Amino acid sequence: MTQLIGLIGYPLRHSLSPDFQQAALDYYHLDVHYEAWETSPKMLRAVVDKLRQPNVIGANVTVPYKEKILDFVDVIDASAREIGAVNTIVSREEELQAHNTDVEGFLRSLDTEAKFDPKGKCATILGAGGAARAVCFALLSQDVGSLVIINRTVERVEALVKKGRDYIARAGKTTEILLMPWHSSRLREAARSSQLIVNCTTVGMWHSLDESQSPLAADWIPQNALVYDLVYNPAETPLLREAKKAGASTLNGLPMLVYQGAASFEIWTGREAPLDIMFAAARKRTT
Ligand code: NAP
C-alpha cells in the first residue's frame, strides 16, 4: 500500500515542499506520496486525525499552524517544546510525535550559504509566529549579542520574548532581548543598528494579502547587514529588493526550506537526505 506524508497549512499554493520531498522519496524508490493538505482552521482536527491512519508516515506543518498544532499531538520533543512550535510530525504506532527542524534548517543555511556567525552580533527579527520562535531560539543558542523582536500583534511578541528570557536565564546566557510593536518610532533605529535582519512574517509571500509589500524600506537597512527573508516564493522578495538597493547582503528562504525539509526527511525515513536532488527540485519551481 502506498504510504503518505502530508503538508498541513493554509494557504499552500506558495509551497515547494511537495516538489523536493517527492524528488527525495523517488530517489530512494520509496512507495511514498508527499501530498499538500490545504487545511482551513475548522478542518485542522480532522486532518490531524488522518495522521493516525496506518498508511500515514507523518507530516510537515506550516503557516499558520506551527504553534496551534501543539494542542493536537501526543509527544513533543524537548526542542519543539522549548521553542513552542512544531514543523514535523511522525506517526509511530498511532502516536503523533512532534519535532522542530526549522532551527537546524535556519542555522545550517546561515552558516553554509551566508557564512554568518551570529555570536555577539545585533539581530532584528520581524514577526513572532512559529518561524520567528525557531529563529529566536536558534540565534539564542548561538549566543547572539542582542535581539530585537518586532511584531504586529503585541501579545504574541510579549509571549515570545518572555519565553526567550526564561531560556536565557536557565541556560546562563547573556543576550539582551527587546520587543517592539510593528509601528514603533524606534523601529528605524533598531533596523539601522542590526547586522542581521530576519523576516519571519508572511509579508512579501506570494498569495498572501501583502505579497507586494516590503516590511522595511532601503533607507532603514544598513549596508553592512545580512538581510535574510524566510520567504522563498518569490525568490527575490520585495524586502530583498530593498536590501539590494541599500547595498546589503541577502539570503532568501529556499536554503532553509531545503535544510529543514532534509532533517524532516531523515526523521520520517531514517535515510540520508539527498540534498542535491532536493535543491534541484526546489529551484526548478522558483523564479
Ligand atoms: P505564522 O505563525 O502564521 O506567523 C506569521 C507572522 O507574520 C506573524 O508574526 C504575523 O504577525 C506576521 N504577519 C502576517 N501578516 C502581517 C502584516 N500584514 N504585517 C505585519 N506582520 C504580519 O507563520 P510562520 O509559520 O511563522 O511563517 C512565517 C513566514 O516564514 C511564512 O512566509 C513562511 O513561508 C516562512 N517560513 C519559511 C521557512 C523556510 O524554511 N524558508 C520556514 C518557516 C517559515 P501577527 O502575529 O500580528 O499576526
Side-chain angles (χ1 to χ4, degrees), residues 11-252:
L12 282 183
R13 274 185 300 163
H14 69 282
S15 181
L16 301 177
S17 294
D19 300 71
F20 71 79
Q21 292 289 6
Q22 193 61 55
L25 294 162
D26 293 347
Y27 171 79
Y28 282 113
H29 304 290
L30 300 175
D31 187 13
V32 182
H33 196 215
Y34 187 101
E35 297 181 337
W37 296 340
E38 193 161 79
T39 305
S40 65
K42 65 175 191 302
M43 291 301 295
L44 185 57
R45 179 170 287 283
V47 170
V48 175
D49 283 345
K50 191 166 148 182
L51 293 175
R52 298 183 192 276
Q53 292 172 5
N55 66 327
V56 180
I57 294 174
N60 277 136
V61 181
T62 186
V63 190
Y65 300 127
K66 288 184 179 190
E67 294 157 88
K68 183 77 195 144
I69 206 84
L70 283 160
D71 299 339
F72 297 90
V73 293
D74 306 312
V75 181
I76 303 164
D77 80 5
S79 146
R81 188 178 295 284
E82 181 88 82
I83 295 161
V86 163
N87 77 333
T88 303
I89 297 175
V90 59
S91 178
R92 293 231 162 92
E93 289 155 18
E94 292 190 27
E95 185 176 78
L96 301 184
Q97 302 172 356
H99 306 264
N100 192 309
T101 66
D102 278 340
V103 170
E104 179 178 338
F106 175 73
L107 289 177
R108 194 166 174 190
S109 61
L110 203 57
D111 179 38
T112 312
E113 310 294 320
K115 311 277 179 259
F116 187 96
D117 178 2
K119 188 168 181 170
K121 305 281 188 349
C122 300
T124 293
I125 294 177
L126 307 172
R133 282 176 172 263
V135 169
C136 171
F137 278 86
L139 292 174
L140 293 178
S141 75
Q142 299 304 299
D143 295 313
V144 68
S146 66
L147 196 51
V148 176
I149 310 179
I150 294 156
N151 197 51
R152 186 181 56 177
T153 305
V154 175
E155 300 76 37
R156 215 170 175 190
V157 70
E158 281 173 349
L160 174 54
V161 167
K162 180 178 180 322
K163 227 171 169 2
R165 286 184 180 148
D166 289 349
Y167 166 76
I168 288 169
R170 266 199 321 278
K173 305 230 173 229
T174 54
T175 305
E176 204 187 321
I177 313 188
L178 283 175
L179 64 86
M180 272 181 209
W182 194 254
H183 291 297
S184 165
S185 54
R186 286 147 61 215
L187 178 53
R188 179 190 177 110
E189 193 192 320
R192 288 211 61 88
S193 53
S194 295
Q195 290 148 300
L196 174 67
I197 298 172
V198 190
N199 178 34
C200 303
T201 74
T202 49
V203 176
M205 180 177 92
W206 267 351
H207 309 303
S208 73
L209 292 175
D210 319 281
E211 65 176 4
S212 60
Q213 306 292 311
S214 171
L216 296 176
D219 60 347
W220 290 33
I221 299 172
Q223 199 180 358
N224 66 347
L226 169 64
V227 178
Y228 189 159
D229 199 335
L230 260 49
V231 174
Y232 51 82
N233 224 336
E236 188 179 74
T237 63
L239 173 63
L240 295 186
R241 272 202 297 281
E242 292 299 305
K244 282 177 187 165
K245 267 192 237 165
S249 307
T250 60
L251 186 60
N252 77 12

